[in-house]
Amino acid sequence: MRDEAKLDRVIKGGNVVLQGGVRIADIAIQAGVIVDIGPDIQTPTRQTIDAQGLYVMAGVVDAHVHLNEPGLGEWEGFESGSAALAAGGCTTFFDMPSNGPPPTLTVEAMNRKLQTANRTGSYVDYALWGGLVPDNLDDLEALADAGVIGFKAFMSAPGDKGEGCYKEVDDIVLFEGMKIIAGKKKVLAVHAESEEIIAALSEKFDGRKKRSVRDFLESRPLAAELDAVRRVLLFAERTECPLHLVHISSPQAVDMIWEAKMNGVNVTVETCPHYLMFTDDDLERLGPLAKCAPPIRGLREREGLWTRLAEGKIDLIASDHSPCPPSMKLNADEDYFAIWGGIAGAQSTLELMFDEGHLERGLPLPLLSKLLSEAPARRFGLFPRKGRLAVGADADIVLVHPDSPYVLEREHLQYRHRQSVYAGRSFRSRVVMTMSRGKTVYTKEEGIGASRDGEWQRAKRGSPRSLFGT
């Protein structure tokens, strides 16, 4: 018989990362929810977890993940993708609508994705993005009502070709779609690169037998990002549509977004670990695994992004995990343009930010937790259940050892295809346990747990938070 007087679990003596700072405390968990945080919890418990010497943080909320099901489960699916996320300390992820045919452009397509998730199971909780493309304006309101977390649009060609593939939007569709999305109080996430600039610059390389990484960088200059950001910020101001700029690669774009925010535009900005870890000089060494769009920029841009993070001008960090089969990352013909563009990295986000952001650059852990967990939960309507360690919040918790050096090898990776731009990298910190709603889904010693009980998350009603001043 269950003893209701006992707590389910108590995490004892960890360095707990809270909004106001880091302090040694215990965390009590009952029925998947945090019920107490205090210095010495004495209530009887069924399990005690010794967290002395460890950092206890809110589970990562990764707002930008491509898992490709249904349709392309052989690239990555809910089971393998969520296992990798759990191993990296992520407890909630938002699946993008673009890669897995059929793309999430209708309620029917959304339901097919949910059916797939229910059949395969997910180790952690998840939300679903809907899409904005040239021919689905009439579907946006129904998708919003059905529970998508927000919408995603491309201002440059996504790269897929053929019938049924995701398409970029022109300015008219973008503007009209933003008006509809604003009326439904949802967020529009935008891949901001100018297709006009990219197409014009790419033409000079057409027909070449060999197209190098430097040719690719030349075809997607910083100007393409800045031009698109400028235009969509103007549309957001005119339509009052909550806007989220994904995978921003430059401090110059961050500064434009910050200025708009100071002028009242409801906009947030995201960057990704690969823009913070690498420069364009690394690309030839890293090879095809590092190809992405926007591309990785120069040293000035990388260091400028770190400065903007410290200044609070970047709202959140997401992985933009975009995997594919190894055959699509080959460069046998020495044609960099033909390689699939996307970086597989969701398993490493927290450890990268802990190592480089906190241990090396001295960014405070409450700031990193805000960027990785609280801000995405707030922006997309999952706060206060998600994104923080507080009484009443879901017990989505990650334990991090700050000094447990290891080299990330292929066998550590949980992805369907064990390839990552971070494989071979030496880490100092390490995720040692991840808990989703109070249940252990990963430990360093035992790996991924057995149960896949992740639940679909829908945003609570109301206008998305701007995050300014939070």
Side-chain angles (χ1 to χ4, degrees), residues 3 76 145 161 183 193 218 298 302 389 395 421 461:
D3 182 357
E76 187 86 283
D145 293 339
K161 300 182 185 297
E193 286 185 289
E218 187 176 338
R302 185 189 71 180
L389 298 180
V421 73
R461 294 185 180 276

Side-chain angles (χ1 to χ4, degrees), residues 263-414:
N263 288 324
V265 176
N266 186 346
V267 58
T268 45
V269 57
E270 154 200 316
T271 195
C272 307
H274 40 274
Y275 299 119
L276 297 165
M277 301 298 150
F278 303 121
T279 71
D280 55 357
D281 289 335
D282 296 314
L283 292 180
E284 292 184 3
R285 171 180 61 84
L286 294 169
L289 291 179
K291 182 186 175 184
C292 60
I296 292 166
R297 307 289 185 191
L299 178 63
R300 176 189 176 191
E301 280 69 39
R302 185 189 71 180
E303 294 307 305
L305 288 174
W306 280 111
T307 299
R308 304 312 187 273
L309 278 176
E311 294 172 344
K313 293 181 178 179
I314 295 175
D315 295 292
L316 61 94
I317 295 168
S319 68
D320 190 11
H321 177 66
S322 186
C324 67
S327 61
M328 298 180 70
K329 282 293 189 181
L330 296 177
N331 194 18
D333 296 328
E334 298 186 62
D335 184 1
Y336 198 84
F337 284 67
I339 298 164
W340 174 259
I343 289 178
Q347 187 171 325
S348 300
T349 297
L350 176 55
E351 292 174 353
L352 288 165
M353 295 309 302
F354 199 104
D355 274 16
E356 185 66 23
H358 177 61
L359 297 178
E360 294 297 324
R361 295 176 181 263
L363 296 183
L365 286 176
L367 172 60
L368 290 183
S369 185
K370 180 180 179 181
L371 291 163
L372 293 167
S373 305
E374 181 188 336
R378 280 185 182 271
R379 179 56 162 164
F380 299 104
L382 300 184
F383 192 84
R385 279 190 57 212
K386 303 291 186 184
R388 64 170 185 165
L389 298 180
V391 173
D394 285 351
D396 294 343
I397 300 171
V398 56
L399 276 59
V400 181
H401 197 305
D403 194 13
S404 180
Y406 80 106
V407 176
L408 181 66
E409 305 288 357
R410 289 183 71 253
E411 54 265 29
H412 295 133
L413 299 172
Q414 299 290 331

Side-chain angles (χ1 to χ4, degrees), residues 47 414 432-433 440-450:
Q47 183 183 17
Q414 299 290 331
V432 298
M433 178 180 287
T440 299
V441 292
Y442 169 81
T443 66
K444 183 184 75 171
E445 292 77 16
E446 299 180 6
I448 296 296

Side-chain angles (χ1 to χ4, degrees), residues 427-461:
F427 287 84
R428 179 176 168 187
S429 64
R430 191 163 190 180
V431 171
V432 298
M433 178 180 287
T434 305
M435 298 170 57
S436 175
R437 285 179 284 109
K439 181 180 294 185
T440 299
V441 292
Y442 169 81
T443 66
K444 183 184 75 171
E445 292 77 16
E446 299 180 6
I448 296 296
S451 61
R452 298 191 291 273
D453 298 328
E455 296 179 353
W456 178 35
Q457 304 293 308
R458 286 180 278 188
K460 63 184 180 182
R461 294 185 180 276

Side-chain angles (χ1 to χ4, degrees), residues 66-325:
H66 298 266
L67 294 192
N68 307 317
E69 281 188 324
L72 289 176
E74 68 272 18
W75 291 26
E76 187 86 283
F78 281 93
E79 181 178 353
S80 59
S82 67
L85 287 154
C90 177
T91 52
T92 307
F93 66 91
F94 301 172
D95 184 57
M96 280 292 176
S98 49
N99 289 2
T104 314
L105 304 177
T106 65
V107 173
E108 180 184 5
M110 188 198 79
N111 287 334
R112 285 187 61 181
K113 188 178 284 279
L114 286 172
Q115 290 166 6
T116 303
N118 289 333
R119 183 177 69 253
T120 64
S122 173
Y123 290 98
V124 297
D125 291 345
Y126 57 92
L128 303 179
W129 287 96
L132 167 61
V133 296
D135 58 356
N136 83 324
L137 289 174
D138 292 339
D139 294 293
L140 299 181
E141 291 190 351
L143 276 166
D145 293 339
V148 296
I149 203 74
F151 293 88
K152 170 72 177 293
F154 285 80
M155 296 177 73
S156 60
D160 295 337
K161 300 182 185 297
E163 187 176 351
C165 290
Y166 216 84
K167 304 295 184 184
E168 73 273 17
V169 294
D170 60 23
D171 285 354
I172 295 173
V173 171
L174 182 59
F175 191 79
E176 293 301 315
M178 292 178 81
K179 290 194 291 186
I180 296 169
I181 293 166
K184 300 304 292 187
K185 296 185 175 8
K186 290 290 184 179
V187 178
L188 177 66
V190 173
H191 179 131
E193 286 185 289
S194 168
E195 178 60 21
E196 294 84 356
I197 292 175
I198 293 169
L201 293 177
S202 297
E203 281 186 2
K204 65 186 289 187
F205 303 108
D206 289 348
R208 291 190 182 182
K209 290 184 178 179
K210 297 180 181 180
R211 295 185 292 180
S212 70
V213 60
R214 289 293 167 184
D215 296 336
F216 178 75
L217 294 177
E218 187 176 338
S219 74
R220 301 186 91 102
L222 179 57
E225 180 172 81
L226 298 180
D227 177 70
V229 167
R230 174 189 56 78
R231 277 188 287 143
V232 76
L233 285 172
L234 176 63
F235 292 176
E237 180 184 11
R238 294 291 182 253
T239 63
E240 298 186 352
C241 179
L243 176 65
H244 180 63
L245 277 302
V246 298
H247 51 49
I248 290 296
S249 67
S250 68
Q252 296 91 334
V254 173
D255 290 344
M256 291 175 63
I257 298 162
W258 181 256
E259 182 179 2
K261 187 181 292 190
M262 293 301 96
N263 288 324
V265 176
N266 186 346
V267 58
T268 45
V269 57
E270 154 200 316
T271 195
C272 307
H274 40 274
Y275 299 119
L276 297 165
M277 301 298 150
F278 303 121
T279 71
D280 55 357
D281 289 335
D282 296 314
L283 292 180
E284 292 184 3
R285 171 180 61 84
L286 294 169
L289 291 179
K291 182 186 175 184
C292 60
I296 292 166
R297 307 289 185 191
L299 178 63
R300 176 189 176 191
E301 280 69 39
R302 185 189 71 180
E303 294 307 305
L305 288 174
W306 280 111
T307 299
R308 304 312 187 273
L309 278 176
E311 294 172 344
K313 293 181 178 179
I314 295 175
D315 295 292
L316 61 94
I317 295 168
S319 68
D320 190 11
H321 177 66
S322 186
C324 67

